[in-house]
Amino acid sequence: MIKLNINLAERSYPIYITTDYTGLGKCISSIKDIGKLVLITDSNVDEYQADECKEALETFGLEIYKYVIEAGEKSKNLDTIKDIYKYLIDIKADRQTILIALGGGVVGDITGFAAATFLRGVAFVQIPTSLLAQADSSVGGKVGVDFEGSKNIIGAFYQPKFVYMNVNSLKTLPQRELQAGLAEIIKHGIIMDAEFFEYIDYNMKKILSCDESIMQYLAKVNCSIKGRVVEQDEKESDLRAILNFGHTIGHAIESVMDFKLLHGECISIGFVGAFRIAQKLEMVDKETTNKITQVLSNAGLPVRLSGMDIDKVYNQMFFDKKMKNNKLTFILPKKIGEVLQYKIENEELIKSILNELS
Ligand SMILES: NC(=O)c1ccc[n+]([C@@H]2O[C@H](COP(=O)([O-])OP(=O)(O)OC[C@H]3O[C@@H](n4cnc5c(N)ncnc54)[C@H](O)[C@@H]3O)[C@@H](O)[C@H]2O)c1
Ligand SMILES: [Zn+2]
């Protein structure tokens, strides 16, 4: 078992990277004052992962309740939260109750938000089972739900007691979801670690077939990069903005396409956009842009969106909740492994890049 620490003073917590669920009981027992354990999962993960996970906890003599939500983003709302509160009241959950999120980012965000608010905060644990959740959403403490058509607009910063990643849980994840999650890992290489980017490139086939040891190494380096950013800027005031690399264009495409493309697919197109902008500004050369485009293609990710409605995507960028003073901020590469924030007011430049991507 690999152990990493996220150091956030009294909110510090470990991330365990493993190949099965057998160590879970021991990890839970290390939390002081354990009461009822409530496993929250979704209908897909329940089918593929929940039994094994629950068994590992039961073998340790722990009493488990299970609550299953319907799989998908459509569940990520206050109605689901309300149902979870009702369930917790029914089973007489108290301050010692621990909520365990077993699933992708949707389950993690919902469970974390329920934990942050029920009885003004009960402990929670993340067991991410999608690559996006292992790579991104389970590390950093952002929890929340969508509201009235706006994504993640209600939420909190609330750190788990620990994160337990079983890389073999990814073996039942649909390939398209795996590829989309990989986009965030590639992003971490691009923004902070060129060597890691090369490692991903070199091992792409093994990654796509979920080779156990490669996936553990990937998780370890990936989480230490994301962890380092979160440690320095827990509440997203400045440095954490670099995690938005590719997201200015990516989020706009995601909205305009009415969420029919996966998040990872949209930011992949956004990465190419950011490199092309940087190339126009003579910050990177053509070879570097071609290289990242090739790596994304090898990962099975889209690098363009044919027929893109350029005006719509451009206008949508101004609705990003991370926009400041109505100016578009991009995270642009200086080279693979280093990025900087850049404000761009040149509409023509951005539209010409969107045109190249369409
Ligand atoms: N909190 C954060 O910092 C943060 C960061 C990024 C994304 N997010 C959120 O995460 C969500 C997206 O996460 P996601 O991509 O994991 O979506 P998801 O939770 O909907 O999971 C994707 C699909 O894979 C299925 N699945 C998950 N694990 C599986 C497994 N092991 N085997 C079989 N099927 C499995 C799920 O049931 C679902 O159908 C979004 O709501 C997004 O806003 C949060
Ligand atoms: Zn993202």
Side-chain angles (χ1 to χ4, degrees), residues 19-266:
T19 53
D20 58 32
Y21 291 111
T22 52
L24 185 58
K26 196 165 175 217
C27 295
I28 295 261
S29 318
S30 68
I31 301 177
K32 56 175 188 312
D33 289 339
I34 319 175
K36 296 184 169 84
L37 300 183
V38 184
L39 194 65
I40 300 184
T41 191
D42 76 19
S43 43
N44 293 332
V45 181
D46 185 37
E47 187 177 336
Y48 297 112
Q49 300 292 328
D51 289 351
E52 225 184 298
C53 176
K54 199 160 168 268
E55 255 165 47
L57 292 166
E58 282 162 352
T59 314
F60 225 78
L62 298 165
E63 189 194 354
I64 329 287
Y65 294 79
K66 185 174 81 174
Y67 188 84
V68 182
I69 63 173
E70 204 188 319
E73 186 75 26
K74 59 184 177 305
S75 289
K76 209 175 116 174
N77 56 47
L78 290 175
D79 292 335
T80 307
I81 294 289
K82 201 167 149 188
D83 292 342
I84 292 174
Y85 292 152
K86 281 190 202 151
Y87 178 76
L88 293 174
I89 291 164
D90 276 355
I91 63 163
K92 302 196 167 42
D94 58 17
R95 295 194 61 87
Q96 279 70 48
T97 298
I98 299 172
L99 305 191
I100 304 175
L102 175 74
V106 167
V107 168
D109 282 10
I110 289 178
T111 306
F113 186 71
T117 46
F118 187 71
L119 297 177
R120 295 200 184 86
V122 294
F124 99 108
V125 164
Q126 291 263 26
I127 309 179
T129 63
S130 72
L131 190 55
L132 182 129
Q134 293 191 357
D136 191 11
S137 62
S138 68
V139 181
K142 286 206 272 175
V143 297
V145 294
D146 306 332
F147 185 69
E148 309 255 307
S150 294
K151 262 185 68 82
N152 300 324
I153 197 165
I154 311 285
F157 284 96
Y158 194 64
Q159 304 293 348
K161 288 292 171 205
F162 63 82
V163 182
Y164 189 95
M165 289 181 192
N166 166 9
V167 295
N168 280 329
S169 66
L170 300 170
K171 293 203 162 121
T172 60
L173 185 71
Q175 187 74 13
R176 186 177 168 201
E177 297 285 352
L178 186 84
Q179 290 161 344
L182 187 53
E184 298 283 5
I185 299 181
I186 294 174
K187 177 190 81 180
H188 291 139
I190 293 173
I191 63 174
M192 278 183 92
D193 191 337
E195 211 177 294
F196 184 48
F197 179 85
E198 293 299 331
Y199 178 88
I200 297 169
D201 181 19
Y202 185 76
N203 290 290
M204 191 61 86
K205 279 210 178 87
K206 287 186 176 165
I207 294 170
L208 294 176
S209 61
C210 287
D211 177 284
E212 184 180 287
S213 56
I214 301 275
M215 293 319 263
Q216 284 182 87
Y217 181 77
L218 209 65
K220 182 179 140 193
V221 181
N222 177 73
C223 293
S224 59
I225 296 174
K226 172 132 193 210
R228 238 181 299 150
V229 177
V230 169
E231 281 169 0
Q232 289 173 56
D233 180 18
E234 185 183 2
K235 301 260 166 91
E236 208 166 61
S237 48
D238 189 31
L239 177 70
R240 203 162 163 169
I242 67 172
L243 297 172
N244 288 325
F245 172 73
H247 283 58
T248 311
I249 294 176
H251 273 151
I253 291 178
E254 205 175 352
S255 290
V256 167
M257 295 303 288
D258 217 7
F259 297 91
K260 288 190 186 74
L261 290 177
L262 298 177
H263 175 72
E265 295 169 339
C266 298

